Structure formats: structure tokens, C-alpha cells
Amino acid sequence: MFGRGLYYDFQDDYDYDYDESDGDHNYESDDSYTSSRLLGKSIEEASFHIEEGPFRIKNHVQGPKLLAELASQRQNGEFLDVVVEVEGIEFPCHRAVLASTPYFKTMLSSNFAESSSNVVHLHETDSSSFSKILEFLYTGEISISKDDVQDVLQTAHMLQFDKILQYCQKFIQDNLCPNNCLGVLRLADMYGDLSDLKKSARTMAVSNFSEATQDEEFLSLSLEDLLDLLRDDDLTATTEDDVVNSVIRWLNHAPENRQTAILKILPEIRLSCVKVSLLRKLESHPAIRDSAECLAKITAAIERHTLGTQVQEEEARSGVSDKLAIIVGGWKAVNKPHLHNNDESEPLSVQPSPGPLQSMICLDPDKEQYYHIANLPTSVNGYMSVASAEGYLYVTGGRENPLVDGEGPKPAPSKQAFRYHFPSDTWLRLPVDMPVGRAGHQSVVVDGKLFLVGGGSDGDAEATSLVTMDCYDPKEGAWIKVPLRPTIHTSSDLTVTAFGDKVVFITVTPTESDGLFNLCVHSFDVKTNGWRKADTRFGNAWAQTPDVFLPTSANHKLYIRAVYTSAAHYSEQYIFDDEEETLNRDDTHYFEDDFLRAQREYHYIFITNGQEIVDTISNYASGNNYYPKKRAPLPFALFGQSFLETQKSCVGWYCRDLAVLEEEDEQERLDEA
């Protein structure tokens, strides 16, 4: 009867496994199985089979029961045969339990003195960490905190306890942040088997460099580790100034050992994106003064900033933009810009106030902060136009007072034109006034010449119906009236932009037959005085014109984005090919290369409340549809302002340390007055 095996199939409590090599049958319960369940089974509940081979049952409870018994014996001081001494503290335990780890199994073997000793001494080990690891050996549980995870990891590494190493690595990974990533990076370097943790810590440091370098661990980085971070193309810093300040702190931490390190570090700094004031600080650093090569590079960078010369081959770091939004003049309106209705698309209503801004302000997208640039040198307060070129800003025309609804004369547009030098903070009134007064016009600089379009004098009958253009040549010091070959009526929706050596006019006019619109692009070649034209029909389900056109030039083509901000930020893209004289809709919304995507990364438009009063400036990103990536509330609501989107490197941004424009509560100020 013993030649046949018994097979008990306890429904879902056992897994049946047949080993064909020896005929053994293994009956294994799942993890939820307990002996009480097995004993509670009646013979009627079991399926009875007779099979060939021996009867084998694997009890999953026996192992935990044995471990619990050993833990109980350790707690009660029973059958303990060895003592581990750590930092003068004794830990009685079972030799067999210790030998379950590779480290102690080797130590307690017959080849070592500890094999015959009742006391094992551990050196350079933390007693608290060893206590936790010993507890894990007996119970399978361990408690790890931020305060002791490094000690536990070090002890587990010495004892070759891979499982606890994994737990520590997981704990550190889950608590990784910019404030501790450099410390984690150094910790992972100490242990060669933490490569995944090292990779995560380095990625965190590269992605949050400005914040990560505030940790004291940064000062202890080796030169090789610092260069490894600075050379990473994905390194993201709030500004390049943060990189320079971090480098200066690192140099000053051990000046006697790091004096020559600047020779390797300086080539990794984007000097074209560093403020002149910080460059001068770097210029006076002992490590720089001792190197003629480094000193020459910094002096050249300061000169480029002053002249407004870009370094084409040197790009800003990831997360740092060369874009700059400039707002000129206008009148403040009563508003609390930080308050909005539940529906963010409907800002709180605002009311005009008589207070003029009388200054230029700008928005730095890197810090999302507004700054005061300069006060206006004229009594004209709004409806001006602003353009930039070679470190200069041209501010032209405008009106002294806001337009008033109803009857009565309108304030006459100004003929004044000014040139502002950003690096030196100086104004120059152009020696010759504009041929006609202009207000609400547009301006661009092409081939060094200033072009003014639209916004003619209210008293000029021709200017009230047709758009005109004037040109100022700084070399000649004179204004030139340039006849517009295309007839553009003032009723047209007009956008003017620079495109290489050309002034481009983008117009939208309704068609009379089908209710659609005609999008037309005229380009004027400044050097040849030649004109090119292309147009196309367009329309949409909302039967309205776009709220704004955002043109971008790349690959010898002009990409025109038509944005409908009032229609869930829907947008369309058109491509103007000047050479082929074609204008086609781009249904693919595909940007041809990385350069184009980089060029289109930032576009700014004002968000109005329907009364041409703005209290928010939004950054619109490229993609299948335009949408606001960031909404930066203005320090005060405005109307009648002019706006320019330009580049920091072109206007001398890095030459000035500007004062932050603090948020104002206009209503409280008026109430106090």
C-alpha cells in the first residue's frame, strides 16, 4: 500500500506540481494559506486521488513559525550562542541566524578566528544601524528614516546585505529632491552598486541646478563632477548668473586647491548670458586675475554686451530664454490684478484712471518678474510704437491723453521720435521730427532703418482712409516717405513685421461673396525697393478674424500663426514663401526643425477684458494649438500701452541691474489720496 502515493486536491489551497524526473508530487499552498485552514478541511471537502510516487506537502507556515520562535528566544535570552559587539554595545544572538548572511557566514567559518569565539567585534559600524539589521534578520521588518538611512545603507553595504541595500535605495529615491540630490550623488559614488540612484540624482541636479547648488554638498564636489554638470546640454538654471555665482562659491570654498580650476570651468560658462555687473565681479576674482586667458575672455564678453553684439554660436541653457517683453507708456487702470472670477477667461472688470504710466517696463520670462527700465522723456503718455535694433529702442509718436468717447476733439498725435540706449540708460531725441504725427501705429527696424506704418494724423484726410509708411535713416539723419504700392485701408486688420531685409504687411479683409476672409501678405525689400505679394482665403466655424497674428521667420520662410484667443485658443498656421510668392495653410502643424521650434518657444500677447484694458500678459507656446503656458498678472492694469517682443542680447539687457517693479494696489492708493 505504500507503493502508491496520495494526492489531496484541497481546491484552491494547493498548487499541484509534478516532477517527471523522479515522480515526486509537490503540493504548495499560496501565500494566504495557514495551517488552521488545512486542519479545518474535512475529508469530504477534499478530492481523493491515488497517484504513483511519494506523498509530499510543503508547509509555508513552518518557516515563519521557526523565525518567530528564534526571535522569541532572542528576546528571552534562550539558546543564544554568540555576541556581536558594536561600539561597546553587545547584541546576543544565534550563530546560525548570523550565518544566513554572506558576510557572517564567511566570518564564522573555520578559516577565521571568529569561528571559535563567542564574541564578534564589528568596527567602523553604527550600533543603531546594526540593531535594525539584526532585527530584520529575526523578524523580516526594518524601520528606515531620513535621519538614519545613510548609516543603515553603509552598514548594510559592509555586511553585504543586498536586500536592505535595495530598501535604502528605494527610500532615498522616493525622497530625492533638489535640496539633497548632490549629497545623494556623492553617496552613490561611494558605492559602486547604486548606479540607478546615481543616475536619478544626477538628473535631478541637472534639471534643478540653481536650487541644487544651494546645498552645502555642492561645495564639496570634485572638479570633474562640477564639469560633468556644467557640460550637460540639459543643465537647467534660472539664469546663467546662478551658474556663475555657484562657481564663485565653489572656487572660494577651497581657494588654495582650486586656483587653476577656472581654466577648465570658464569655457563651460555661457558668458553672453551673464550680467555685466557679475562679469566684473568675476573679473576681479583672484583666480581670474592670475589668468590672462580668462581675463581676456571676460573683457571681450563685457564689450559685446555694451555693443549689443550677439554670439551666434553660444546658446542659452535649457530653461533660459533670450526673449524679453517690453511695455511702453499707457495709462493705469483701477484693478486688483491678483483677483479673478472663477472663470479665468473673464478677468474682473476694471475702470480707467487718469494716472499715466510714463515709463517703460519689461517682463523677464526666466524669473516671471517685471522690471522698471526708464522714465519717458516726453509728456506723451500712450499709443506710441516701439521697435528695437542694435542695442537701441525707438519710441515714436503717441498721444498725451487717452481717447475720450463721445464728441469733442481728439488729442493730436505726436511727431516726436526718440532713441533709447538700453546699456547706458540714455535718451536721444531724433534731430528731425516725423513727417506726420502718428498714434497707434506699428514700427520695425530693417537693415538699420526705422519704418513707421499706419496711425496717420487725424487731420490728414488721406491718412484716415489709407495706411502710409515713413522711413528714418540714422546714417542720413532724415525721414523718407516710402509709397506703399499695395493699397491698404485703415479698416484692414494689419500686422507689420520684419523678415530678413524685408518689411512684411499681413492684412485681413472680409470678402463680399462667401463670408470668408482674405489673408494677404505683402513684402517690401528695403535694399531693392521691390514688392512681392501672396494671398489666400480662410475662414472658420466662428466666422471671425483671428485675435492676433504671431509671425516667425525661419528657413527663409515666414510662419504666420493665426490665434483665436476667444475660441478656446484655437489656431491656424500659414507659410509665406517670399521667393515663390506663395501663401499656404500648413495643416500638418509640423515644425521643420529644432531651430524653428526654438524660435517659436515664446510669444507674448496681452489678455484683455473686452475694453482694451489689459491686466495679464501670457506666454503662448507652439504646438497644434496655441495656449497660454504662463499667465503673468501685470502689477497694474493698463490701456493705451505699446508692446514689443524682443531679445535680451539685442537690447543690452545684461548691461543693467534693473529695479523690480513691485505690485501696486491702485485702488488703495486712490482711496488714500
Side-chain angles (χ1 to χ4, degrees):
M1 66 178 292
F2 295 104
R4 304 176 68 84
L6 296 180
Y7 168 30
Y8 289 93
D9 181 5
F10 291 103
Q11 299 175 1
D12 295 332
D13 296 311
Y14 282 88
D15 293 328
Y16 172 65
D17 179 34
Y18 179 75
D19 185 352
E20 294 183 353
S21 63
D22 58 6
D24 288 349
H25 299 74
N26 298 310
Y27 309 90
E28 298 187 359
S29 65
D30 58 24
D31 292 339
S32 62
Y33 171 74
T34 63
S35 58
S36 60
R37 290 181 62 203
L38 177 59
L39 295 175
K41 288 285 183 179
S42 65
I43 193 65
E44 290 80 9
E45 292 177 289
S47 300
F48 184 82
H49 301 279
I50 297 178
E51 300 283 355
E52 294 293 336
F55 176 58
R56 176 180 293 180
I57 292 179
K58 183 177 181 180
N59 190 326
H60 287 272
V61 176
Q62 183 59 31
K65 282 184 63 178
L66 176 60
L67 196 61
E69 176 60 27
L70 290 172
S72 176
Q73 291 178 11
R74 174 172 171 262
Q75 186 175 4
N76 297 327
E78 301 173 340
F79 309 111
L80 307 177
D81 54 1
V82 69
V83 173
V84 180
E85 184 177 302
V86 184
E87 294 184 330
I89 301 176
E90 294 184 345
F91 297 91
C93 50
H94 298 86
R95 187 181 298 267
V97 173
L98 288 182
S100 65
T101 68
Y103 179 85
F104 281 109
K105 185 175 183 178
T106 301
M107 176 184 288
L108 299 176
S109 69
S110 58
N111 298 327
F112 292 89
E114 287 84 359
S115 63
S116 59
S117 174
N118 293 328
V119 179
V120 175
H121 298 276
L122 291 184
H123 304 285
E124 299 180 359
T125 305
D126 176 63
S127 59
S128 176
S129 299
F130 178 78
S131 176
K132 290 191 173 190
I133 291 176
L134 187 62
E135 187 73 16
F136 179 82
L137 284 174
Y138 277 94
T139 65
E141 297 180 1
I142 187 170
S143 174
I144 304 174
S145 69
K146 293 180 180 179
D147 296 330
D148 62 16
V149 62
Q150 186 170 342
D151 292 331
V152 173
L153 185 147
Q154 180 179 354
T155 303
H157 186 269
M158 188 196 77
L159 299 180
Q160 303 172 26
F161 215 121
D162 294 340
K163 182 60 68 174
I164 293 181
L165 275 175
Q166 293 175 15
Y167 297 154
C168 291
Q169 184 171 352
K170 178 66 166 57
F171 181 87
I172 295 173
Q173 180 77 54
D174 291 345
N175 291 275
L176 190 64
C177 68
N179 294 327
N180 64 23
C181 61
L182 290 179
V184 172
L185 184 63
R186 293 189 64 209
L187 181 67
D189 268 336
M190 295 171 59
Y191 307 103
D193 47 0
L194 300 180
S195 57
D196 290 343
L197 186 60
K198 180 178 180 179
K199 181 178 179 181
S200 297
R202 187 185 179 283
T203 300
M204 178 72 72
V206 167
S207 303
N208 302 271
F209 185 83
S210 296
E211 188 175 354
T213 53
Q214 297 306 308
D215 184 22
E216 290 300 312
E217 291 285 351
F218 169 73
L219 301 178
S220 301
L221 285 180
S222 66
L223 173 60
E224 290 71 21
D225 286 339
L226 176 58
L227 290 174
D228 177 62
L229 295 177
L230 295 179
R231 288 169 178 166
D232 196 308
D233 291 335
D234 294 326
L235 187 145
T236 302
T238 304
T239 65
E240 193 69 16
D241 290 3
D242 291 345
V243 176
V244 174
N245 281 318
S246 298
V247 167
I248 291 175
R249 287 177 54 236
W250 185 87
L251 290 171
N252 292 340
H253 182 66
E256 65 282 356
N257 299 324
R258 298 174 176 177
Q259 192 76 6
T260 60
I262 192 64
L263 290 170
K264 294 183 178 180
I265 295 175
L266 193 63
E268 310 308 326
I269 297 177
R270 315 291 171 87
L271 296 177
S272 62
C273 300
V274 180
K275 284 285 185 69
V276 168
S277 57
L278 189 54
L279 286 176
R280 296 195 185 283
K281 179 180 178 181
L282 193 59
E283 188 179 36
S284 64
H285 194 276
I288 296 293
R289 291 202 309 266
D290 292 341
S291 171
E293 178 183 349
C294 293
L295 193 61
K297 288 183 178 180
I298 294 177
T299 301
I302 293 174
E303 291 178 355
R304 286 195 299 268
H305 281 316
T306 305
L307 298 175
T309 305
Q310 285 184 288
V311 181
Q312 298 296 336
E313 66 274 11
E314 187 172 62
E315 297 181 358
R317 294 190 189 275
S318 175
V320 178
S321 171
D322 195 36
K323 293 287 186 179
L324 188 65
I326 295 179
I327 303 164
V328 180
W331 292 268
K332 298 178 183 179
V334 178
N335 189 26
K336 293 179 181 292
H338 57 283
L339 297 177
H340 288 82
N341 294 332
N342 292 333
D343 183 0
E344 291 189 0
S345 64
E346 298 180 4
L348 292 177
S349 60
V350 293
Q351 298 296 326
S353 74
L357 178 59
Q358 262 295 307
S359 63
M360 288 196 299
I361 64 175
C362 68
L363 168 65
D364 178 9
D366 296 333
K367 294 187 175 182
E368 298 182 49
Q369 181 66 62
Y370 290 95
Y371 296 89
H372 176 269
I373 299 177
N375 293 323
L376 296 177
T378 173
S379 58
V380 175
N381 297 313
Y383 308 118
M384 295 168 279
S385 183
V386 57
S388 68
E390 299 178 351
Y392 293 101
L393 294 175
Y394 288 92
V395 178
T396 56
R399 301 181 192 272
E400 290 190 12
N401 300 304
L403 296 176
V404 179
D405 294 334
E407 298 181 358
K410 295 180 180 179
S414 172
K415 294 183 178 181
Q416 296 178 355
F418 297 88
R419 189 177 70 182
Y420 175 72
H421 189 236
F422 198 108
S424 62
D425 188 25
T426 56
W427 287 95
L428 171 69
R429 182 169 177 174
L430 298 189
V432 182
D433 282 347
M434 298 155 49
V436 296
R438 295 180 184 270
H441 55 295
Q442 300 180 58
S443 58
V444 293
V445 177
V446 178
D447 192 31
K449 301 179 179 65
L450 174 65
F451 292 85
L452 308 183
V453 181
S457 296
D458 298 321
D460 188 335
E462 180 183 2
T464 58
S465 61
L466 298 178
V467 173
T468 61
M469 179 169 67
D470 287 318
C471 171
Y472 178 75
D473 188 341
K475 294 181 180 179
E476 299 294 333
W479 288 92
I480 306 168
K481 189 167 185 177
V482 182
L484 278 177
R485 192 185 74 177
T487 301
I488 301 176
H489 293 272
T490 55
S491 58
S492 301
D493 191 347
L494 173 65
T495 300
V496 181
T497 187
F499 176 38
D501 292 329
K502 304 172 181 65
V503 181
V504 172
F505 305 80
I506 305 170
T507 63
V508 177
T509 54
T511 59
E512 298 179 355
S513 56
D514 50 14
L516 298 179
F517 298 90
N518 188 57
L519 175 64
C520 185
V521 177
H522 299 272
S523 69
F524 170 65
D525 192 311
V526 174
K527 292 185 175 181
T528 65
N529 290 334
W531 287 89
R532 292 180 183 272
K533 172 192 174 183
D535 61 357
T536 186
R537 294 286 184 92
F538 78 100
N540 56 70
W542 301 280
Q544 60 184 15
T545 58
D547 297 281
V548 65
F549 285 96
L550 302 176
T552 299
S553 59
N555 304 327
H556 307 291
K557 298 177 183 178
L558 185 67
Y559 293 77
I560 303 170
R561 199 72 166 179
V563 181
Y564 302 83
T565 59
S566 58
H569 307 295
Y570 172 78
S571 66
E572 300 170 310
Q573 180 167 281
Y574 296 85
I575 302 177
F576 171 63
D577 189 322
D578 182 69
E579 295 298 325
E580 300 293 332
E581 294 189 70
T582 59
L583 178 63
N584 297 308
R585 175 167 171 166
D586 178 20
D587 291 323
T588 64
H589 297 296
Y590 174 71
F591 304 134
E592 295 185 0
D593 54 27
D594 291 337
F595 172 73
L596 179 57
R597 284 193 290 271
Q599 288 290 97
R600 300 180 62 86
E601 181 180 0
Y602 287 100
H603 276 298
Y604 291 99
I605 65 172
F606 284 116
I607 304 299
T608 72
N609 71 338
Q611 304 176 32
E612 300 305 320
I613 298 176
V614 300
D615 65 353
T616 299
I617 182 171
S618 289
N619 165 19
Y620 274 65
S622 59
N624 287 352
N625 292 297
Y626 262 67
Y627 58 93
K629 289 178 64 178
K630 298 177 182 178
R631 294 169 66 100
L634 286 163
F636 27 71
L638 281 172
F639 66 98
Q641 78 290 332
S642 56
F643 172 74
L644 172 68
E645 183 180 325
T646 185
Q647 294 173 304
K648 297 175 183 176
S649 54
C650 290
V651 298
W653 164 262
Y654 298 102
C655 296
R656 301 269 302 280
D657 291 320
L658 302 175
V660 174
L661 192 64
E662 299 294 343
E663 183 175 306
E664 296 182 4
D665 192 330
E666 190 70 15
Q667 182 62 61
E668 291 182 3
R669 187 186 67 80
L670 292 175
D671 290 343
E672 291 175 359

